[in-house]
Amino acid sequence: MVSALSAVAVGQGNDAVSFEPDTNRIKSHLFFLADDLLEGRDTGSRGHNIASLYIATEFAKYGLKPMGTDGYMQPVAFRKATLVQESPSFTLTTDEGETALAYPKEYLTGPDVLNQTSQLSGEMVFAGYGIIAEELDHNDYADIDVDGKIVVILSGKPESFPSEMGAHLASGSQKAQYAVDHGAIGMISITTPTNEKVRPYQSRLSYIHTPSLAWIDSEGEPANRFPQLKGSAYLSEGAARKLFADAPVSLDDIYAQLAEDKSPKGFALPGKVNMSKQSQHSQITSPNVVAALEGSDPELKNEYVVFSAHSDHIGFAKTVKKDNINNGAMDNASGTAVMLETARLFSQMEQKPKRSILFVSVTGEEKGLLGADYFAHNPTVPVSSMVADVNLDMPILTYEFADVIAFGASHSDMKASVEQAAANAGIELSPDPWPEQALFTRSDHYAFVKQGVPSVFLVPGLKSKDPNVDGSKVFGEFLSTNYHKPSDDVNQKFNWDAARTFAEVNAQIGYTLATQQQKPTWNKGDFFGETFAKDRQ
């Protein structure tokens, strides 16, 4: 039997650890989690509960300490809201009369998690992108009064905004916060030419039946919601033109300003809007699974390096085809399998790393990073004791890669740690190849970032050890062919050597972070560090 790990000398005579992952174990985890039996592991489903139990029993097998609120489990209660499709109503009243917009042809609205009956009536104020960014000398609410009004805002953000900072500032939750802070009672978003290129209005119609989930806080209320906002809608270009028909500035002029990357000034819109809809509510429960390996240092064992990976997927597909199960083999049975093998490798070490390591399998990622957000707000160890998070989400394990990408590494000194750890595994660290997509803000690690924890989102890179394989092309083909489709199953051409390498790199990163003298810190002046880590002890 080959030892799972051994000590080797590298560099200037420093001791490092050589990890030897077992590909058969990774394969067995992945094949079980992506089996039809689990029916796509939808949040709150029996299939996801089975997956969570499997993960918990693996943690127990490795002798890890239970760190949930019920053994390894941390049950999360969610309110689930579904829109009654026949109920939405949107009426615009002006001096010229009353105009009704057709749902969903002209506008979209989602279920209301707070109220089963939603009604909104008010005057409108256009507020540009609806963003406030002091760091960028940008304030769309300057010189306008939206108190008691409905804000009408452009989707997206100015092109000149840095992509990752801009993605945070332009997120739906941030725009809602800006609106509430200024007294708005509702929010209407309108599409833009740029938005239509990225995500056409027509493509959004496929999601009108999607439920909305929110985790329930200690007072029994849905978290991260804004009761002051009584209604919201997303308008097509045609519907937006009706709103701006008699506006002081035409929609064409506003779009022309956007083409020059200018930020249109706000102004009052003529007319009044009435909106209403009905939502159906239910409650579901779905667990995070949490375990810890205690560190060896008497002091540093009170600090935690966190590994996170989501175990949920999207359940059944709405299709008439025979195969209607979204198995989620790559998304994210692969990441969960690698995390489980990483946990096993650490559990077999004779000399444990100095810091403790926390393994968090989170639910509800596909519903909006909800399980991770719940854990970050209700951690089972003090949030101030979490020194770093390494997140594993949808690693594409179909070719032997020669590099890894750690989204977010440039925001903290974790970049040097990840680079060193990758080199220990014979792998390079490459920069983010898609900075415009702001992937740093789009997976579970971001819940930890918002609690001030330096974090990275780790995926295999695009460089292949085989010159005949184009990693970028492979990644693109997965997104276009298998992503969130029943074809993301175990019949894909997995490369188990790639799985072994990814587990090795992952373990090396965890070991480096858990043994280095200083805990990771945000780079001086970094936006995310300045925004979220100010009050961190």
Side-chain angles (χ1 to χ4, degrees):
M1 181 178 177
V2 179
S3 172
L5 45 88
S6 59
V8 295
V10 295
Q12 303 297 316
N14 296 323
D15 284 342
V17 166
S18 175
F19 292 94
E20 297 180 13
D22 185 337
T23 55
N24 286 325
R25 292 176 187 268
I26 298 172
K27 183 189 296 186
S28 66
H29 296 321
L30 193 156
F31 276 34
F32 179 83
L33 293 169
D35 193 85
D36 281 357
L37 174 71
L38 274 62
E39 299 179 335
R41 308 189 307 278
D42 198 8
T43 303
S45 69
R46 181 175 182 271
H48 182 260
N49 287 339
I50 293 172
S52 300
L53 180 61
Y54 177 85
I55 294 164
T57 54
E58 289 299 304
F59 286 156
K61 187 187 301 181
Y62 309 148
L64 301 183
K65 182 180 179 182
M67 294 297 287
T69 52
D70 181 12
Y72 292 100
M73 303 292 189
Q74 183 191 39
V76 184
F78 296 97
R79 181 177 293 174
K80 180 178 180 180
T82 305
L83 180 67
V84 178
Q85 290 295 311
E86 301 76 24
S87 69
S89 171
F90 187 117
T91 304
L92 169 66
T93 304
T94 65
D95 291 342
E96 297 180 4
E98 191 173 279
T99 303
L101 300 186
Y103 169 87
K105 182 179 179 181
E106 293 183 289
Y107 79 100
L108 300 172
T109 187
D112 188 337
V113 173
L114 293 173
N115 306 290
Q116 295 189 65
T117 299
S118 310
Q119 290 185 316
L120 170 67
S121 179
E123 298 174 347
M124 299 173 290
V125 177
F126 174 64
Y129 284 105
I131 295 173
I132 298 175
E134 295 178 2
E135 305 86 352
L136 301 172
D137 195 27
H138 182 104
N139 185 352
D140 285 320
Y141 285 89
D143 304 320
I144 59 173
D145 180 10
V146 303
D147 190 31
K149 309 289 179 62
I150 300 170
V151 290
V152 178
I153 59 175
L154 300 162
S155 58
K157 61 180 178 60
E159 289 183 14
S160 59
F161 276 25
S163 66
E164 291 175 342
M165 179 196 297
H168 169 75
L169 294 169
S171 65
S173 59
Q174 281 299 117
K175 288 191 176 186
Q177 186 67 65
Y178 305 137
V180 167
D181 288 345
H182 288 78
I185 60 171
M187 188 163 69
I188 295 173
S189 301
I190 60 175
T191 191
T192 66
T194 298
N195 218 45
E196 285 301 301
K197 291 178 183 177
V198 175
R199 192 181 178 195
Y201 181 87
Q202 196 68 23
S203 70
R204 296 171 183 263
L205 297 177
S206 301
Y207 302 95
I208 62 174
H209 296 281
T210 303
S212 182
L213 269 66
W215 57 265
I216 303 297
D217 63 23
S218 59
E219 297 180 355
E221 294 297 323
N224 304 322
R225 300 293 165 145
F226 301 93
Q228 302 95 323
L229 296 178
K230 304 301 182 183
S232 63
Y234 181 85
L235 270 57
S236 66
E237 180 180 335
R241 290 192 179 281
K242 294 179 181 180
L243 246 64
F244 282 77
D246 298 313
V249 181
S250 72
L251 190 61
D252 284 332
D253 286 345
I254 289 171
Y255 283 171
Q257 292 181 56
L258 301 188
E260 298 176 8
D261 199 25
K262 295 179 180 178
S263 296
K265 300 297 183 183
F267 51 82
L269 278 163
K272 186 176 182 179
V273 159
N274 287 278
M275 284 191 279
S276 65
K277 61 187 174 185
Q278 301 287 327
S279 302
Q280 295 177 336
H281 289 176
S282 60
Q283 185 160 316
I284 62 174
T285 302
S286 187
N288 294 326
V289 189
V290 193
L293 177 90
E294 188 174 86
S296 59
D297 186 273
E299 295 295 328
L300 293 182
K301 71 178 183 180
N302 296 315
E303 296 180 353
Y304 293 85
V305 173
V306 182
F307 282 109
S308 57
H310 75 90
S311 55
D312 66 304
H313 195 53
I314 59 173
F316 291 103
K318 288 181 169 59
T319 176
V320 296
K321 295 180 180 179
K322 184 176 180 181
D323 183 4
N324 68 338
I325 297 175
N326 292 299
N327 301 87
M330 213 75 78
D331 184 15
N332 184 37
S334 62
T336 302
V338 168
M339 185 175 74
L340 286 172
E341 178 61 0
T342 303
R344 186 189 71 85
L345 291 171
F346 278 111
S347 74
Q348 292 194 349
M349 298 183 74
E350 291 184 10
Q351 180 61 39
K352 299 294 188 286
K354 296 177 181 179
R355 292 183 176 87
S356 295
I357 300 179
L358 197 68
F359 299 94
V360 188
S361 171
V362 294
T363 186
E365 188 273 348
E366 301 288 4
K367 301 296 189 285
L369 318 183
L370 296 183
D373 188 63
Y374 180 85
F375 182 82
H377 283 88
N378 301 273
T380 56
V381 300
V383 70
S384 59
S385 70
M386 299 182 210
V387 301
D389 174 62
V390 180
N391 186 55
L392 309 174
D393 187 0
M394 206 173 77
I396 306 300
L397 303 176
T398 56
Y399 63 96
E400 287 196 70
F401 54 91
D403 65 331
V404 291
I405 299 162
F407 299 109
S410 60
H411 295 290
S412 71
D413 61 10
M414 283 181 74
K415 180 179 181 181
S417 302
V418 172
E419 201 160 26
Q420 175 190 327
N424 290 345
I427 292 293
E428 299 176 25
L429 174 65
S430 292
D432 181 354
W434 309 293
E436 72 284 355
Q437 294 190 28
L439 292 175
F440 178 57
T441 67
R442 292 170 55 186
S443 191
D444 291 306
H445 62 286
Y446 199 56
F448 293 90
V449 169
K450 290 194 286 187
Q451 296 300 315
V453 181
S455 305
V456 294
F457 169 14
L458 189 71
V459 297
L462 303 181
K463 296 178 183 177
S464 173
K465 293 179 181 178
D466 183 345
N468 296 316
V469 175
D470 181 346
S472 180
K473 184 178 179 181
V474 171
F475 193 90
E477 287 176 347
F478 172 81
L479 291 179
S480 62
T481 306
N482 300 323
Y483 176 65
H484 281 195
K485 294 182 175 68
S487 54
D488 181 13
D489 60 17
V490 297
N491 295 313
Q492 295 168 95
K493 294 181 180 179
F494 283 92
N495 184 305
W496 300 110
D497 287 333
R500 180 200 59 77
T501 301
F502 192 62
E504 182 184 1
V505 174
N506 191 51
Q508 287 286 359
I509 291 171
Y511 184 79
T512 299
L513 294 170
T515 55
Q516 66 186 37
Q517 185 174 358
Q518 299 295 328
K519 63 184 179 182
T521 57
W522 294 97
N523 293 337
K524 186 176 181 180
D526 181 80
F527 169 77
F528 296 96
E530 291 290 315
T531 301
F532 298 119
K534 289 180 179 179
D535 301 325
R536 190 169 165 81
Q537 297 296 318

